[in-house]
């Protein structure tokens, strides 16, 4: 018999966490991930109180791109009720990125624009 811990004795909260996750509808998981991506992108764009301290446009580009991809991929899975404010937030982030860039991307070439099309102010 082995003395190695089993996964449930090694991390007793794992089973409870898995049960909690199982009870959450997929739409809520998608929206939560989207909001987290939006928040992280806002921080990396310098849109928080600390602003310039956390500004990193390379990281912001990746987060906005991921958000746009998630929203594009999940468009048929989440209702307009959920999708509309997320799309509005994405557009705001894309515009903020364009403003923050020293050399703005060409229209249609900015982060996420391959999914949303060109974003204009």
């Amino acid at each position: 018999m082995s003395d190695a811990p089993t996964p449930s004795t090694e991390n007793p909260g794992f089973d409870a966490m898995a049960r909690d996750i199982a009870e959450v509808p997929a739409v809520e998981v998608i929206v939560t991930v989207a909001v987290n991506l939006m928040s992280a992108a806002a921080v990396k764009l310098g849109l928080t109180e600390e602003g310039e301290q956390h500004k990193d446009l390379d990281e912001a580009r990746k987060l906005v791109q991921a958000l746009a991809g998630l929203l594009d991929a999940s468009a048929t899975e989440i209702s307009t009720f959920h999708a509309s404010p997320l799309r509005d937030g994405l557009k705001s982030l894309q515009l903020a990125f364009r403003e923050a860039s020293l050399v703005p991307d060409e229209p249609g070439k900015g982060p996420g624009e391959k999914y949303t099309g060109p974003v204009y102010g």
Side-chain angles (χ1 to χ4, degrees):
M1 183 159 217
S2 172
D3 288 336
T6 61
S8 39
T9 59
E10 190 175 293
N11 189 355
F14 181 76
D15 291 335
M17 186 172 42
R19 276 193 306 276
D20 290 345
I21 291 171
E23 294 173 6
V24 178
V27 170
E28 286 186 38
V29 173
I30 293 167
V31 170
T32 299
V33 170
V35 169
N36 285 331
L37 287 168
M38 289 175 74
S39 298
V43 169
K44 297 297 183 178
L45 283 167
L47 302 177
T48 61
E49 287 182 20
E50 289 92 28
E52 295 297 316
Q53 181 180 355
H54 301 294
K55 191 172 184 177
D56 184 335
L57 294 183
D58 183 51
E59 291 290 302
R61 176 183 294 277
K62 293 170 188 170
L63 292 162
V64 172
Q65 181 76 11
L67 174 62
L70 174 64
L71 294 181
D72 184 57
S74 62
T76 59
E77 305 301 326
I78 62 177
S79 66
T80 303
F81 175 79
H82 293 291
S84 291
L86 293 173
R87 281 192 212 107
D88 291 344
L90 171 60
K91 182 177 180 180
S92 295
L93 291 169
Q94 289 171 311
L95 291 171
F97 185 92
R98 187 170 295 283
E99 274 184 29
S101 297
L102 295 175
V103 180
D105 297 313
E106 295 178 36
K109 301 292 184 187
E113 291 183 6
K114 80 177 192 179
Y115 299 110
T116 63
V119 175
Y120 302 100

